[in-house]
Amino acid sequence: MYSVMIVMYLIVVVAIGVFFKTKVKDMEDFALAGRNLNTPVLLGTLFATYIGGATVVGWTGSFYSLGIDWWFSGLGAILGIAAATFLLAERFRNLKQFTVPDMLALRYNNSTRFVSSFMIIIGDIAIVTVQILAMTGILVSFTDIERMPAMIISIVSFTLISLFGGMKGVAFTDSIQAVLILFGLIAGVGVVFNLGGGPGAVFGALPEGYFTPFTDVTVLGAVGMAIAAFGTTAVSQSFIFSRVFSAKDAKTAKRGLVWLIPTALIGYGLVALVGFSGRSMLGDDIPPSDVFATVITSLMPPFIGGVLIAVIIAAIVTSTNSILLSSSVNLTRDFYQQFAKREISSKEMMRVGQVSVVVFAAFAFILAVLMPDIVTAIVFAYTMYSASLLVPLYAGYLWKGATAAAGTWGVISGGGTALVWYILQEPLGLPSMIPAIIVSFAVVIGVSMVTKKPTDEQLKVFQQ
């Protein structure tokens, strides 16, 4: 039954995405859905992307093992959304750009654009690699498909929607999948609570201290978790700012993000309840990465289990589509267009973007096939890109004194510090994001004090 539901679901979603090929005429359609997303579609694509594969599968296991302490990561993520919403969203949409490096180039210079775009592309390819492995694991576990065919199905599913439908296809399929993710999780929580004798019985069987903060993590660890989640959320091009640029106007961009805050909390809450129920009903000896799958196979009737598998696949597909599309726009906009010695049409830009989707997907597939055991290092690449951009991006748009040189060196120092800290195996138990932010902040302030002040052209962004 699982195999039939999974195959049918993938065929329908991919077919819808491919259908939008006829709606994509130029680069704005491909990259930003013609800058015409209304609030419901914008909220749907934001929710589906945020409650993605890493959240549904990864956070279920984290709530299972850490209890309420994992909510510090949830708090950090919500604060990251709030920062993007209230500090940058409207201004970014009014400036009518395509990428976060576009915004850095407007405020600083092209050197900052190139460094930041390179960081984003590396981080995005890393996450696509992880998503291929995650989707492959789901297909192998719940169907009769062998590993290599499962990997091929995964990358083809990810690629076709982004390749043909662009942001229009991604946003529309995301909105459909957002409904499935939300109601699938609600159904799953209802079933496990019913099997466990109700919420009171489920919660009563949990270990002592499970809902007491700082039981499984220290105060410093909790702060580190929150800051790490905040940093990766607040600068996310593929999950937040690509949607901001795609909204039909600035007010819609902000409104969609405002609504994301409570809906993301609901999504996180449902995922937490699945994790708590798993700990209560299945014991404490399941590896965190296997908790969601074990809940499905051990506790769910086949139909509800099939729905929840579709939820996982929907979550993985939506987030990966967004990442592939985002990185292709970076290559097209931040490198191809900048280095071309001639005028480039919007249609040519779109074609280059489509080729980029295929190239990045192929590269991620090769990494997944040849080096599946370096997942931790791969995921760190995403953390490094977030650490490199956080301070320069927000400092540039909140402080007129930040200089062009400071922006470039802030990106380099933030990413470099995160890398060194990771290689040193995170001394003092601090996540790489924390020292990276501190060093990047100090560099932006210090370099701004001793380098050429921003020009009037660079400060025009404050007029929006």
Side-chain angles (χ1 to χ4, degrees):
M1 181 176 182
Y2 291 153
S3 299
V4 174
M5 293 184 72
I6 289 171
V7 171
M8 288 180 60
Y9 178 77
L10 283 174
I11 289 173
V12 170
V13 171
V14 172
I16 292 172
V18 172
F19 166 77
F20 276 88
K21 178 182 179 182
T22 60
K23 310 292 183 182
V24 178
K25 306 298 184 184
D26 57 22
M27 187 61 180
E28 273 208 352
D29 288 341
F30 177 72
L32 304 175
R35 299 191 195 270
N36 200 36
L37 296 186
N38 59 29
T39 301
V41 175
L42 182 62
L43 175 60
T45 186
L46 284 165
F47 178 83
T49 305
Y50 257 92
I51 310 302
T55 301
V56 173
V57 177
W59 283 36
T60 296
S62 297
F63 279 118
Y64 166 91
S65 60
L66 297 179
I68 200 170
D69 282 338
W70 188 251
W71 266 111
F72 289 108
S73 286
L75 175 62
I78 293 298
L79 290 175
I81 297 171
T85 302
F86 297 108
L87 299 179
L88 298 181
E90 287 186 288
R91 179 176 293 167
F92 274 28
R93 177 58 185 83
N94 282 332
L95 287 167
K96 297 182 180 180
Q97 299 299 304
F98 284 74
T99 68
V100 167
D102 274 339
M103 305 308 300
L104 290 168
L106 279 179
R107 179 60 183 85
Y108 298 120
N109 55 27
N110 264 354
S111 295
T112 314
R113 176 202 293 277
F114 298 140
V115 173
S116 60
S117 188
F118 178 77
M119 293 275 197
I120 290 173
I121 290 171
I122 295 300
D124 281 352
I125 291 174
I127 295 301
V128 173
T129 303
V130 173
Q131 299 286 59
I132 293 170
L133 294 171
M135 180 95 151
T136 298
I138 296 297
L139 293 175
V140 170
S141 298
F142 293 103
T143 72
D144 297 326
I145 301 172
E146 297 295 325
R147 181 176 177 81
M148 182 53 69
M151 295 182 81
I152 294 171
I153 291 171
S154 300
I155 194 60
V156 169
S157 301
F158 299 154
T159 304
L160 288 180
I161 297 175
S162 302
L163 175 63
F164 293 113
M167 180 58 81
K168 286 190 174 183
V170 168
F172 189 82
T173 54
D174 278 1
S175 298
I176 295 172
Q177 292 177 112
V179 175
L180 175 63
I181 292 169
L182 178 60
F183 287 100
L185 286 172
I186 291 171
V189 169
V191 168
V192 293
F193 275 2
N194 182 60
L195 291 173
V202 170
F203 293 152
L206 289 167
E208 184 178 354
Y210 198 71
F211 292 123
T212 302
F214 311 115
T215 297
D216 290 298
V217 299
T218 64
V219 173
L220 182 61
V223 171
M225 288 161 58
I227 291 177
F230 172 85
T232 53
T233 303
V235 299
S236 177
Q237 174 180 284
S238 56
F239 291 173
I240 283 188
F241 291 113
S242 61
R243 272 66 180 169
V244 168
F245 298 137
S246 301
K248 68 179 183 179
D249 54 43
K251 290 189 180 301
T252 301
K254 184 175 181 178
R255 190 183 304 119
L257 283 172
V258 166
W259 277 105
L260 177 62
I261 294 172
T263 52
L265 275 171
I266 292 169
Y268 293 155
L270 291 169
V271 169
L273 291 175
V274 175
F276 297 162
S277 300
R279 180 67 175 266
S280 172
M281 300 170 69
L282 300 173
D284 61 0
D285 58 350
I286 301 172
S289 60
D290 296 339
V291 171
F292 197 92
T294 305
V295 167
I296 290 173
T297 55
S298 301
L299 301 178
M300 298 290 173
F303 177 76
I304 297 298
V307 171
L308 286 178
I309 293 170
V311 166
I312 301 174
I313 292 173
I316 294 173
V317 168
T318 54
S319 53
T320 311
N321 288 340
S322 299
I323 294 167
L324 272 176
L325 184 61
S326 168
S327 56
S328 76
V329 177
N330 281 123
L331 182 65
T332 307
R333 175 80 172 178
D334 299 322
F335 289 102
Y336 184 81
Q337 187 176 25
Q338 301 305 315
F339 288 108
K341 302 298 184 182
R342 56 186 174 80
E343 189 72 22
I344 302 173
S345 70
S346 183
K347 184 157 287 190
E348 180 182 348
M349 291 276 288
M350 180 187 74
R351 298 301 180 205
V352 174
Q354 290 173 320
V355 171
S356 301
V357 167
V358 176
V359 170
F360 288 147
F363 188 53
F365 180 79
I366 291 169
L367 284 176
V369 171
L370 298 181
M371 296 184 287
D373 298 325
I374 61 166
V375 170
T376 302
I378 288 173
V379 171
F380 170 73
Y382 194 77
T383 301
M384 187 172 73
Y385 121 57
S386 303
S388 70
L389 297 187
L390 182 63
V391 173
L393 185 64
Y394 280 82
Y397 281 85
L398 297 177
W399 179 42
K400 292 182 179 181
T403 67
T408 301
W409 284 106
V411 171
I412 294 171
S413 63
T417 301
L419 178 60
V420 170
W421 208 257
Y422 174 77
I423 292 171
L424 294 176
Q425 299 184 333
E426 299 188 338
L428 308 177
L430 286 178
S432 301
M433 185 72 74
I434 295 179
I437 291 173
I438 293 171
V439 171
S440 183
F441 181 81
V443 167
V444 168
I445 297 297
V447 174
S448 293
M449 296 295 103
V450 297
T451 54
K452 183 181 177 180
K453 299 306 177 187
T455 65
D456 291 340
E457 186 68 23
Q458 290 167 336
L459 295 178
K460 279 185 178 179
V461 298
F462 289 96
Q463 298 172 13
Q464 298 295 322

